[in-house]
Amino acid sequence: MTEEAIDTLFKIKRHGVGPCLLSCNFLIDKLVEHGKVDVAVALLGRVGFEEAADTLREMEKVGVTPNVFTYTAYLQGLCKHGRSDFANEVLRALIGENLPMDVFGCGAEIHGFVKEKN
């Protein structure tokens, strides 16, 4: 029912009510978990990457640790939109802080650099 969840997310956003951070994290987590990384990245792209970064910071501020799927979707979105250099900075910071990361996030960055011929 991911399509329904995404539709509901944007319906409530159009009415000026934003979803809570846990809801966003849960939705992104489930999308990636079910192999719908492209949908998760598109979802992050629709809210804008500045908003995605703000959401990550807000999650940390309120004590919610983003999981590996959230970070991976964020990195993939950055790389897909030509921001591989920034994704590399984010990835290095995550690794430096021993935060969760997997091969998919690293792979997204590599793919982004190759796509950008960098």
Side-chain angles (χ1 to χ4, degrees):
M1 296 180 59
T2 55
E3 291 83 15
E4 291 85 355
I6 293 169
D7 187 47
T8 301
L9 176 76
F10 286 106
K11 280 182 183 175
I12 64 171
K13 190 172 181 178
R14 280 192 297 268
H15 294 307
V17 178
C20 74
L21 296 173
L22 290 174
S23 298
C24 289
N25 190 39
F26 180 80
L27 179 58
I28 292 169
D29 179 42
K30 291 303 170 188
L31 287 168
V32 175
E33 187 177 297
H34 287 85
K36 297 184 178 189
V37 175
D38 55 335
V39 177
V41 170
L43 179 62
L44 283 172
R46 282 195 65 186
V47 299
F49 286 109
E50 289 76 22
E51 287 179 352
D54 290 344
T55 300
L56 289 173
R57 282 190 287 277
E58 186 67 26
M59 290 173 75
E60 292 168 356
K61 193 186 304 182
V62 297
V64 176
T65 303
N67 62 25
V68 66
F69 298 114
T70 304
Y71 286 128
T72 297
Y74 182 59
L75 290 171
Q76 288 176 326
L78 289 170
C79 293
K80 184 176 181 178
H81 290 87
R83 303 284 314 273
S84 296
D85 287 333
F86 182 65
N88 184 272
E89 292 176 31
V90 171
L91 182 62
R92 288 177 185 270
L94 293 172
I95 292 170
E97 295 177 27
N98 291 322
L99 292 172
M101 189 41 54
D102 62 9
V103 296
F104 297 107
C106 298
E109 187 176 319
I110 292 167
H111 180 72
F113 280 127
V114 170
K115 180 178 158 189
E116 296 170 25
K117 296 181 170 79
N118 188 351

